[in-house]
Amino acid sequence: MSDATEANGTAGAAEPAETDPAGAGAGGRHVRVVLVDDHRMFRTGVQAEIGQTAETGVEVVGEAADVDQAVAVITATRPEVVLLDVHLPGGGGVEVLRRCAALMADAEQPVRFLALSVSDAAEDVIGVIRGGARGYVTKTITGTDLVDSIFRVQEGDAVFSPRLAGFVLDAFASTDAPPVDEDLDRLTQREREVLRLIARGYAYKEIAKQLFISVKTVESHVSAVLRKLQLSNRHELTRWATARRLV
């Protein structure tokens, strides 16, 4: 499926996967899932890994590549679990959670979120958990463990990759707020998005396309980030972001 197709009114609708006569996979389990990630090849890989409903019980009912698409697809399909990337064009995973708060709070048919990200930064983990996600796993997870995590979240459990659980425990075991990176805190949400994409090696034109803004706006954000962080160029910016595990 192309990202352009997802942006239409039929955004992210996935072809129904073949199922066994009971409509469930091994063990009689079944869960409807939406994939939200801005990398199409990654979504395709996850779909191939877990979306064989007859074997896994996971039915992928939709996909999305940015915040607006995600909210539209989730609202239209009402999945039981959403696999959510943290860094997305349009405001990130936290913005998806904010706009889907009512769906998460639905007592009869709650939509539950499991963050699936390359990032293992404490601020990303704590941010999405505070936003309402039920768990956070990294993209190094195996297909089998991911399927298991999806079903656990469906059942209401909290699921974390082993080392990430410590971030959450530390953050919520104390009444004190988690440590704040004062330098990072100077940046707006949009500036952080631009920062991460610059650090990932994106060109200005690619960032503009990803975030649906102009190249001049990207240049303005980069200038603001460099000024606020007292850095001289994008190479220093990349090193700064990498040192904080923001990439």
Side-chain angles (χ1 to χ4, degrees):
M1 173 188 341
S2 69
D3 291 347
T5 300
E6 290 163 356
N8 296 330
T10 57
E15 291 295 330
E18 293 182 6
T19 61
D20 60 19
R29 303 186 301 177
H30 182 261
V31 60
R32 300 171 67 254
V33 172
V34 163
L35 305 178
V36 180
D37 192 286
D38 61 337
H39 292 92
R40 181 172 57 185
M41 288 184 66
F42 179 76
R43 298 197 309 272
T44 300
V46 173
Q47 167 78 283
E49 184 75 19
I50 71 172
Q52 302 302 313
T53 311
E55 289 79 29
T56 66
V58 177
E59 179 187 2
V60 178
V61 297
E63 300 180 15
D66 61 38
V67 170
D68 288 341
Q69 291 174 18
V71 174
V73 172
I74 293 165
T75 302
T77 60
R78 295 296 294 267
E80 289 147 313
V81 176
V82 177
L83 288 180
L84 179 68
D85 192 11
V86 174
H87 305 307
L88 295 167
V94 171
E95 179 64 12
V96 175
L97 291 164
R98 185 187 69 79
R99 291 168 60 178
C100 291
L103 298 179
M104 288 189 284
D106 189 324
E108 295 186 1
Q109 190 182 354
V111 176
R112 295 189 169 104
F113 288 79
L114 173 61
L116 175 62
S117 176
V118 69
S119 170
D120 61 359
E123 69 160 27
D124 288 334
V125 178
I126 295 168
V128 296
I129 298 305
R130 288 196 187 281
R134 296 292 305 174
Y136 194 117
V137 295
T138 60
K139 290 181 178 179
T140 58
I141 193 170
T142 67
T144 299
D145 287 343
L146 181 56
V147 169
D148 181 64
S149 297
I150 290 169
F151 279 107
R152 289 175 60 191
V153 167
Q154 179 195 27
E155 294 163 1
D157 289 345
V159 180
F160 299 94
S161 292
R163 68 179 300 272
L164 305 186
F167 297 155
V168 180
L169 290 173
D170 290 345
F172 290 92
S174 171
T175 55
D176 297 329
V180 174
D181 186 323
E182 293 184 1
D183 289 332
L184 187 62
D185 204 43
R186 294 190 186 103
L187 306 183
T188 66
Q189 179 64 36
R190 179 64 88 188
E191 288 168 351
R192 294 186 191 194
E193 292 175 349
V194 172
L195 165 65
R196 289 189 175 101
L197 291 174
I198 285 287
R200 291 178 182 178
Y202 283 64
Y204 285 2
K205 287 183 179 180
E206 294 172 322
I207 296 172
K209 182 178 180 181
Q210 285 278 330
L211 301 181
F212 305 102
I213 57 179
S214 70
V215 173
K216 286 187 176 181
T217 301
V218 173
E219 293 172 348
S220 296
H221 285 314
V222 172
S223 295
V225 171
L226 292 173
R227 183 180 69 254
K228 290 179 179 180
L229 300 181
Q230 298 183 343
L231 300 174
S232 301
N233 53 57
R234 66 181 295 161
H235 300 295
E236 291 184 0
L237 188 153
T238 298
R239 288 197 296 270
W240 187 93
T242 301
R244 285 162 173 77
R245 308 180 78 170
L246 300 177
V247 181

